[in-house]
Every structure is written in C-alpha cells, then in structure tokens.
C-alpha cells in the first residue's frame, strides 16, 4: 500500500515559468513533509519542508503548500531554471517514528 | 563542513554472498538511517540507529542488519544476497530529534 503517491512520473516546463509538483498521502498521522531533489548518480538533496501546523512554507524560488483536509501537498518552483531539471521526491513522516515514507518521484525537465 | 559520506560507491557481488556498506554522518549529526532505492522507485526505509542502538526498523528481513559506532558512523550488512537486493543504498543523517535528514551519495550494489 503506497502511503505517499506522486501520480505524475514526469513534467516538462518552459524556463521562467512555474513548475508545480504534486504529492498525495493517505496516512492522516503524517505530520512532517519534505521535498528532495535528486540528480543522477547523487543522493537526494533536501529542498524544503513543512510541518502539519502550517499550510505554506517558502524558501527563495521554492514554496510548499499543504492541504491537510485533502491530504495533498505541492511544490512550486518560480521561476523554473534548466538546473532544476531532476527527479523530485516528496516524503512524509509520522512524529516519533523517525522514518520517512517516500513517493516514487516526478522527473522535471525545464526546457531552455 | 563535510556532508554524509558513503563507501564504496559501487559494488558487485554474487548471490549468497555477504556485503558491508559504510556511512559517515554529517558533522554534528548523531543519528543514521539507511534506505534502499530500487530502480524507478522512491527510497524505502530499512532502519535507523541512534546511540548505537537500532531505534526503528522498516519492512526488511533479518538478512539486513546494521551497527553504529561510538563516533556515530554506521554499517549496513546484508547476508545471503539475492538478485532483488540490487539497488542504490542510501545513508541519511540528522541530529537527535531534528526532523530533516540529509543524504549521502549512495552505494550502488549489483547482485549477479
């Protein structure tokens, strides 16, 4: 049973436009959510996180939105740059469990 | 500031053999988690070590075992290797109760 789902395996966006990556979860006990970016032959790089007590967190070009009632989070990248081309994973954890549950990833391609 | 390091980068083994992977956490971190990432999938949690004890374990058989040393570095051991153990093995570290985990580059294991 996949508790964290990224239903779009890939996304292409023009440079300078907004990229929106989506993630859905089923476990209502999840209270911390993260986004990681992964380039080939590298480990995942932490991008941004959000606690369940918030509905939005911003860091530069990256904003994460959390809709707890819909069990949905999204990552917005504005403006998108060619260097953002990578696989993006969302992850969730339940307080006190110490483990992340990852989605299957979305491959973002930013076209110059 | 050294990030998470892992060794070796690549490894080829045959079925039935045993393997040991190594991880040094980011400076200042005392908690190490291990994940397995199969091709096309998100990372899956294997276990986490804190204060030299296994604190949490995912859905992996006993063939997967680990250890944490007093300097916080960690080893992942896999016995009786199966073809299905071929994957990227990722180590992540964090400080105590801090939520965000930082990943190393991974060790790619191929079982023939």
């Amino acid at each position: 049973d996949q508790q964290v789902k990224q239903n779009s395996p890939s996304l292409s966006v023009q440079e300078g436009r907004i990229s929106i990556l989506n993630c859905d979860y089923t476990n209502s006990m999840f209270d911390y959510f993260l986004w990681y970016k992964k380039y080939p032959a590298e480990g995942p790089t932490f991008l941004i996180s959000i606690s369940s007590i918030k509905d939005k967190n911003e860091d530069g070009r990256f904003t994460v939105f959390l809709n707890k009632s819909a069990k949905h989070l999204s990552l917005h990248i504005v403006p998108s740059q060619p260097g953002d081309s990578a696989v993006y994973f969302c992850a969730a954890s339940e307080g006190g469990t110490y483990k992340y549950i990852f989605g299957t990833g979305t491959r973002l391609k930013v076209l110059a | 500031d050294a990030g998470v390091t892992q060794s070796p980068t690549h490894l080829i083994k045959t079925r039935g053999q045993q393997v040991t992977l190594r991880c040094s956490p980011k400076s200042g971190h005392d908690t190490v988690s291990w994940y397995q990432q199969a091709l096309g999938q998100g990372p899956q949690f294997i276990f986490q070590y804190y204060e030299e004890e296994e604190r949490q374990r995912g859905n992996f058989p006993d063939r997967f075992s680990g250890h944490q040393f007093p300097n916080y570095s960690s080893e992942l051991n896999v016995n009786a290797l199966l073809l299905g153990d071929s994957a990227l093995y990722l180590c992540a570290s964090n400080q105590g109760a801090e939520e965000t985990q930082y990943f190393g580059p991974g060790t790619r294991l191929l079982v023939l």
Side-chain angles (χ1 to χ4, degrees):
Chain A
D1 178 30
Q2 190 75 20
Q3 295 187 69
V4 177
K5 297 177 185 175
Q6 293 178 255
N7 292 318
S8 298
S10 64
L11 175 69
S12 289
V13 170
Q14 208 64 37
E15 181 180 7
R17 307 295 290 267
I18 183 171
S19 295
I20 300 176
L21 297 99
N22 294 304
C23 181
D24 296 295
Y25 62 95
T26 56
N27 186 344
S28 58
M29 299 300 291
F30 286 149
D31 59 3
Y32 191 69
F33 304 88
L34 310 94
W35 284 94
Y36 285 86
K37 176 171 73 173
K38 189 177 185 300
Y39 295 117
E42 293 184 15
T45 301
F46 170 71
L47 272 177
I48 193 167
S49 61
I50 187 166
S51 161
S52 59
I53 62 173
K54 294 184 171 183
D55 53 21
K56 177 183 172 182
N57 190 25
E58 227 172 317
D59 184 0
R61 297 187 297 116
F62 302 92
T63 303
V64 56
F65 295 91
L66 176 62
N67 182 334
K68 289 184 289 293
S69 60
K71 295 192 181 69
H72 176 83
L73 67 155
S74 61
L75 174 68
H76 293 208
I77 307 173
V78 183
S80 301
Q81 298 172 353
D84 296 330
S85 297
V87 178
Y88 289 77
F89 291 97
C90 69
S93 73
E94 179 183 339
T97 64
Y98 310 112
K99 64 182 182 183
Y100 292 171
I101 307 298
F102 280 83
T104 52
T106 296
R107 183 177 299 279
L108 172 67
K109 189 171 184 180
V110 179
L111 307 168
Chain B
D1 179 22
V4 180
T5 60
Q6 293 186 242
S7 64
T9 54
H10 295 83
L11 205 48
I12 300 175
K13 291 284 187 179
T14 55
R15 278 177 297 173
Q17 282 190 312
Q18 178 263 344
V19 70
T20 297
L21 310 182
R22 294 176 176 83
C23 171
S24 289
K26 187 176 163 70
S27 178
H29 288 184
D30 58 7
T31 304
V32 172
S33 302
W34 286 92
Y35 292 80
Q36 180 196 65
Q37 186 179 13
L39 207 58
Q41 301 296 317
Q44 287 200 28
F45 177 80
I46 302 174
F47 43 53
Q48 184 179 88
Y49 277 84
Y50 173 69
E51 292 188 342
E52 301 179 51
E53 298 277 339
E54 183 182 290
R55 177 158 72 172
Q56 182 73 238
R57 190 177 183 91
N59 223 9
F60 280 80
D62 291 345
R63 298 186 297 109
F64 290 76
S65 63
H67 188 77
Q68 185 178 36
F69 299 94
N71 67 352
Y72 308 121
S73 67
S74 176
E75 286 181 352
L76 164 66
N77 301 293
V78 188
N79 293 322
L81 284 166
L82 303 173
L83 296 180
D85 294 332
S86 296
L88 179 68
Y89 288 85
L90 294 161
C91 171
S93 72
N94 60 287
Q95 169 60 37
E98 178 191 297
E99 291 269 18
T100 302
Q101 296 177 10
Y102 294 87
F103 284 81
T107 294
R108 187 161 294 282
L109 173 65
L110 178 61
V111 182
L112 300 176

Coordinates of all heavy atoms in Angstrom, one line a residue, chain A residues 20-66:
Chain A
I20 N 4.9 23.0 -11.0 CA 4.1 22.6 -9.9 C 4.1 21.1 -9.8 O 3.7 20.4 -10.7 CB 2.6 23.0 -10.0 CG1 2.5 24.6 -10.1 CG2 1.8 22.5 -8.8 CD1 1.2 25.1 -10.3
L21 N 4.7 20.6 -8.7 CA 4.8 19.1 -8.5 C 3.9 18.7 -7.4 O 3.8 19.4 -6.3 CB 6.2 18.7 -8.2 CG 7.2 19.0 -9.3 CD1 8.0 20.3 -9.0 CD2 8.2 17.8 -9.4
N22 N 3.1 17.7 -7.5 CA 2.1 17.3 -6.6 C 2.4 16.0 -5.9 O 3.1 15.1 -6.4 CB 0.8 17.1 -7.3 CG 0.3 18.5 -7.9 OD1 0.1 19.4 -7.1 ND2 0.1 18.5 -9.2
C23 N 1.8 15.9 -4.7 CA 2.0 14.7 -3.9 C 0.8 14.4 -3.0 O 0.2 15.4 -2.5 CB 3.3 14.9 -3.0 SG 3.7 13.6 -1.9
D24 N 0.3 13.2 -3.0 CA -0.9 12.9 -2.1 C -0.4 11.8 -1.1 O 0.4 11.0 -1.4 CB -2.0 12.3 -3.0 CG -2.5 13.3 -4.0 OD1 -3.1 14.3 -3.6 OD2 -2.3 13.1 -5.2
Y25 N -1.1 11.9 0.0 CA -0.8 10.9 1.1 C -2.1 10.3 1.7 O -3.1 11.0 1.5 CB 0.1 11.5 2.1 CG -0.4 12.6 2.9 CD1 -1.0 12.5 4.1 CD2 -0.3 13.9 2.4 CE1 -1.5 13.5 4.8 CE2 -0.8 15.0 3.1 CZ -1.4 14.8 4.3 OH -1.9 15.9 5.0
T26 N -2.0 9.2 2.3 CA -3.2 8.5 2.8 C -3.2 8.5 4.3 O -4.2 8.4 4.9 CB -3.3 7.1 2.3 OG1 -2.1 6.4 2.6 CG2 -3.5 7.1 0.7
N27 N -2.0 8.6 5.0 CA -1.9 8.4 6.4 C -2.1 9.8 7.1 O -1.3 10.7 7.0 CB -0.5 7.9 6.8 CG -0.4 7.5 8.2 OD1 -1.2 7.9 9.1 ND2 0.6 6.8 8.6
S28 N -3.2 9.9 7.8 CA -3.6 11.2 8.4 C -2.7 11.5 9.6 O -2.7 12.6 10.2 CB -5.0 11.2 8.9 OG -5.3 10.1 9.7
M29 N -1.9 10.5 10.0 CA -0.9 10.7 11.2 C 0.4 11.4 10.7 O 1.2 11.8 11.6 CB -0.6 9.4 11.8 CG -1.8 8.7 12.4 SD -2.7 9.6 13.6 CE -1.5 9.6 15.0
F30 N 0.6 11.5 9.4 CA 1.8 12.2 9.0 C 1.8 13.6 9.4 O 0.7 14.3 9.3 CB 1.9 12.1 7.4 CG 2.3 10.8 6.9 CD1 1.8 10.4 5.6 CD2 3.2 9.9 7.6 CE1 2.2 9.2 5.1 CE2 3.5 8.7 7.0 CZ 3.0 8.3 5.8
D31 N 2.9 14.1 10.0 CA 2.9 15.5 10.5 C 4.1 16.3 10.0 O 4.3 17.4 10.4 CB 2.8 15.5 12.0 CG 3.9 14.8 12.7 OD1 4.8 14.3 12.0 OD2 3.9 14.7 13.9
Y32 N 4.9 15.7 9.2 CA 6.1 16.4 8.7 C 6.3 16.0 7.2 O 6.3 14.7 7.0 CB 7.3 16.1 9.6 CG 8.5 17.0 9.3 CD1 8.4 18.4 9.6 CD2 9.6 16.5 8.7 CE1 9.5 19.2 9.4 CE2 10.7 17.3 8.5 CZ 10.7 18.7 8.8 OH 11.7 19.5 8.6
F33 N 6.5 16.9 6.4 CA 6.6 16.6 4.9 C 7.8 17.3 4.4 O 8.2 18.4 4.8 CB 5.4 17.1 4.2 CG 4.1 16.5 4.8 CD1 3.4 17.2 5.8 CD2 3.6 15.3 4.3 CE1 2.3 16.6 6.4 CE2 2.4 14.8 4.8 CZ 1.8 15.4 5.9
L34 N 8.5 16.7 3.4 CA 9.7 17.2 2.8 C 9.7 17.0 1.3 O 9.1 16.1 0.8 CB 10.9 16.5 3.4 CG 11.1 16.4 4.9 CD1 10.5 15.0 5.4 CD2 12.5 16.6 5.4
W35 N 10.5 17.8 0.6 CA 10.8 17.6 -0.8 C 12.3 17.5 -0.9 O 13.0 18.3 -0.4 CB 10.2 18.8 -1.6 CG 8.8 18.8 -1.8 CD1 7.8 19.4 -1.1 CD2 8.1 18.1 -2.9 NE1 6.6 19.2 -1.6 CE2 6.7 18.4 -2.7 CE3 8.4 17.3 -3.9 CZ2 5.7 17.8 -3.5 CZ3 7.4 16.8 -4.8 CH2 6.1 17.0 -4.5
Y36 N 12.7 16.5 -1.7 CA 14.1 16.3 -2.1 C 14.2 16.3 -3.6 O 13.3 15.9 -4.3 CB 14.5 14.9 -1.6 CG 14.8 14.8 -0.1 CD1 13.7 14.5 0.8 CD2 16.1 15.1 0.4 CE1 14.0 14.4 2.1 CE2 16.3 15.0 1.8 CZ 15.2 14.7 2.6 OH 15.4 14.6 4.0
K37 N 15.4 16.8 -4.0 CA 15.7 16.8 -5.5 C 16.9 15.8 -5.7 O 17.8 15.7 -4.8 CB 16.2 18.2 -5.9 CG 16.6 18.3 -7.3 CD 16.9 19.8 -7.6 CE 18.1 20.4 -7.0 NZ 18.3 21.8 -7.5
K38 N 16.8 15.0 -6.7 CA 17.8 14.0 -7.0 C 18.3 14.1 -8.4 O 17.6 13.9 -9.4 CB 17.3 12.6 -6.7 CG 18.4 11.6 -6.7 CD 17.9 10.2 -6.3 CE 19.0 9.2 -6.1 NZ 19.8 9.0 -7.4
Y39 N 19.7 14.3 -8.5 CA 20.3 14.2 -9.8 C 20.8 12.8 -10.0 O 21.1 12.1 -9.0 CB 21.5 15.2 -9.9 CG 21.1 16.6 -9.9 CD1 21.5 17.5 -8.8 CD2 20.3 17.2 -10.9 CE1 21.2 18.8 -8.8 CE2 20.0 18.6 -10.8 CZ 20.4 19.4 -9.8 OH 20.1 20.7 -9.8
P40 N 21.0 12.4 -11.2 CA 21.6 11.0 -11.4 C 23.0 10.9 -10.7 O 23.7 11.8 -10.7 CB 21.8 11.0 -13.0 CG 20.8 11.9 -13.5 CD 20.7 13.0 -12.5
A41 N 23.2 9.7 -10.2 CA 24.5 9.4 -9.5 C 24.7 10.2 -8.3 O 25.9 10.3 -7.8 CB 25.6 9.5 -10.5
E42 N 23.7 10.9 -7.7 CA 23.9 11.6 -6.5 C 22.8 11.2 -5.5 O 21.7 10.6 -5.9 CB 23.8 13.1 -6.7 CG 24.9 13.7 -7.5 CD 24.9 15.2 -7.6 OE1 24.1 15.8 -6.9 OE2 25.5 15.7 -8.5
G43 N 23.0 11.4 -4.2 CA 21.9 11.2 -3.3 C 20.9 12.3 -3.3 O 21.1 13.4 -3.9
P44 N 19.7 12.1 -2.7 CA 18.7 13.2 -2.7 C 19.2 14.4 -1.9 O 19.9 14.2 -0.8 CB 17.5 12.5 -1.9 CG 17.8 11.0 -2.1 CD 19.3 10.8 -2.1
T45 N 18.9 15.5 -2.4 CA 19.3 16.8 -1.7 C 18.0 17.4 -1.1 O 17.0 17.6 -1.9 CB 19.9 17.8 -2.8 OG1 21.1 17.1 -3.3 CG2 20.3 19.1 -2.1
F46 N 18.1 17.8 0.1 CA 17.0 18.4 0.8 C 16.6 19.8 0.2 O 17.5 20.6 0.0 CB 17.3 18.6 2.3 CG 16.3 19.4 3.0 CD1 15.0 18.9 3.3 CD2 16.6 20.7 3.5 CE1 14.0 19.7 3.9 CE2 15.7 21.5 4.1 CZ 14.4 21.0 4.4
L47 N 15.4 20.0 -0.1 CA 14.9 21.3 -0.7 C 14.2 22.1 0.4 O 14.6 23.3 0.6 CB 14.0 21.0 -1.8 CG 14.6 20.8 -3.2 CD1 13.5 20.5 -4.2 CD2 15.4 22.1 -3.6
I48 N 13.1 21.6 0.9 CA 12.2 22.4 1.7 C 11.3 21.4 2.5 O 11.0 20.3 2.0 CB 11.4 23.3 0.8 CG1 10.7 24.4 1.7 CG2 10.4 22.6 -0.1 CD1 10.1 25.6 0.9
S49 N 10.8 21.8 3.6 CA 10.0 21.0 4.4 C 8.8 21.8 5.0 O 8.8 23.1 4.9 CB 10.8 20.4 5.6 OG 11.3 21.4 6.5
I50 N 7.8 21.1 5.5 CA 6.7 21.8 6.1 C 6.1 20.9 7.2 O 6.0 19.7 7.1 CB 5.6 22.2 5.1 CG1 4.5 23.1 5.7 CG2 5.0 20.9 4.4 CD1 3.6 23.7 4.7
S51 N 5.8 21.5 8.3 CA 5.1 20.9 9.4 C 3.6 20.9 9.2 O 3.1 21.9 8.6 CB 5.5 21.5 10.7 OG 4.6 21.2 11.8
S52 N 2.9 20.0 9.8 CA 1.5 20.0 9.6 C 0.7 21.1 10.3 O -0.5 21.3 10.1 CB 0.9 18.6 10.1 OG 1.2 18.5 11.5
I53 N 1.5 21.9 11.1 CA 0.8 23.0 11.8 C 0.8 24.2 10.8 O 0.2 25.3 11.1 CB 1.5 23.4 13.1 CG1 2.9 23.8 12.9 CG2 1.4 22.3 14.1 CD1 3.6 24.4 14.1
K54 N 1.5 24.1 9.7 CA 1.5 25.2 8.7 C 0.8 24.8 7.4 O 0.6 23.6 7.2 CB 2.9 25.6 8.4 CG 3.7 26.2 9.5 CD 5.1 26.6 9.0 CE 5.8 27.4 10.0 NZ 7.1 27.9 9.5
D55 N 0.4 25.7 6.6 CA -0.1 25.4 5.3 C 0.8 25.9 4.1 O 0.5 25.6 3.0 CB -1.6 25.8 5.1 CG -1.7 27.3 5.4 OD1 -0.7 28.0 5.3 OD2 -2.9 27.7 5.7
K56 N 1.8 26.6 4.5 CA 2.7 27.1 3.4 C 4.1 27.4 4.0 O 4.2 27.8 5.2 CB 2.1 28.4 2.9 CG 2.9 29.1 1.9 CD 2.2 30.5 1.5 CE 3.1 31.3 0.6 NZ 2.5 32.6 0.2
N57 N 5.1 27.1 3.2 CA 6.5 27.4 3.6 C 7.2 27.8 2.4 O 7.1 27.2 1.3 CB 7.1 26.2 4.3 CG 8.5 26.6 5.0 OD1 8.7 27.8 5.3 ND2 9.4 25.7 5.1
E58 N 8.0 28.9 2.5 CA 8.6 29.5 1.3 C 10.1 29.6 1.6 O 10.6 29.9 2.7 CB 8.1 30.9 1.2 CG 7.7 31.3 -0.2 CD 7.1 32.7 -0.2 OE1 6.2 33.0 0.6 OE2 7.4 33.4 -1.2
D59 N 10.9 29.3 0.5 CA 12.4 29.4 0.6 C 12.9 29.8 -0.7 O 13.0 28.9 -1.6 CB 13.0 28.1 1.1 CG 14.5 28.3 1.3 OD1 15.1 29.4 1.1 OD2 15.2 27.3 1.7
G60 N 13.0 31.1 -1.0 CA 13.5 31.5 -2.3 C 12.5 31.2 -3.4 O 11.4 31.6 -3.3
R61 N 13.0 30.5 -4.4 CA 12.1 30.1 -5.5 C 11.2 29.0 -5.2 O 10.3 28.7 -6.0 CB 13.0 29.8 -6.7 CG 13.9 30.9 -7.2 CD 14.5 30.5 -8.5 NE 15.5 29.4 -8.4 CZ 15.3 28.2 -8.9 NH1 14.3 28.0 -9.7 NH2 16.2 27.3 -8.8
F62 N 11.3 28.4 -4.1 CA 10.6 27.2 -3.7 C 9.5 27.5 -2.6 O 9.8 28.1 -1.6 CB 11.5 26.1 -3.2 CG 12.6 25.7 -4.2 CD1 13.8 26.3 -4.2 CD2 12.4 24.7 -5.2 CE1 14.8 26.0 -5.1 CE2 13.3 24.4 -6.1 CZ 14.6 25.0 -6.0
T63 N 8.3 27.0 -2.9 CA 7.2 27.1 -1.9 C 6.5 25.8 -1.9 O 6.2 25.2 -2.9 CB 6.2 28.2 -2.4 OG1 6.9 29.4 -2.5 CG2 5.1 28.4 -1.3
V64 N 6.3 25.3 -0.6 CA 5.5 24.1 -0.4 C 4.2 24.5 0.2 O 4.1 25.3 1.1 CB 6.3 23.1 0.4 CG1 6.7 23.6 1.7 CG2 5.4 21.8 0.6
F65 N 3.1 23.9 -0.3 CA 1.7 24.1 0.2 C 1.2 22.8 0.7 O 1.4 21.7 0.1 CB 0.8 24.6 -1.0 CG 1.2 26.0 -1.5 CD1 2.0 26.1 -2.6 CD2 0.6 27.1 -0.9 CE1 2.4 27.3 -3.1 CE2 1.0 28.4 -1.4 CZ 1.8 28.5 -2.5
L66 N 0.6 22.9 1.8 CA 0.0 21.7 2.4 C -1.5 21.8 2.7 O -1.9 22.8 3.3 CB 0.7 21.4 3.8 CG 0.1 20.2 4.6 CD1 0.3 18.9 3.8 CD2 0.8 20.1 6.0

